[in-house]
Amino acid sequence: STRKESSAASDVYKRQVYLTFSTVGGKSTSVTISAPRAGITLQDAKTAANALVANKVILGSGDAELAAFTTAREVTTQTTELQ
């Protein structure tokens, strides 16, 4: 994950990218990228996701083969320690 200290010493920001896929069985599964590079684009995510599908790198639950990439989301969370 990417961590960046804010002006408040107790705040920590964390960025992640979630890639979602459909499986051959019609279900959905996702992969979390904990340390995406800065400036990642949808095309970058699609390229990576399509390589995972084509090369059968990962499986969905129940060992289901991935059928296709469906979505990519970038999520940034802020954690603040209570004082």
Side-chain angles (χ1 to χ4, degrees):
S1 65
T2 303
R3 293 176 182 254
K4 177 176 79 171
E5 292 293 327
S6 73
S7 56
S10 61
D11 288 359
V12 176
Y13 294 87
K14 181 178 177 183
R15 242 175 88 257
Q16 294 180 307
V17 170
Y18 296 90
L19 303 178
T20 306
F21 303 86
S22 60
T23 66
V24 171
K27 295 187 178 181
S28 180
T29 194
S30 64
V31 171
T32 303
I33 301 170
S34 296
R37 68 168 169 75
I40 190 169
T41 66
L42 176 57
Q43 188 56 52
D44 296 333
K46 282 181 180 178
T47 299
N50 288 334
L52 293 175
V53 173
N55 295 300
K56 300 179 182 178
V57 175
I58 58 172
L59 298 172
S61 62
D63 291 338
E65 238 180 75
L66 301 184
F69 165 72
T70 54
T71 62
R73 294 174 297 150
E74 181 176 312
V75 177
T76 302
T77 57
Q78 174 182 352
T79 304
T80 304
E81 187 174 327
L82 296 177
Q83 310 236 345

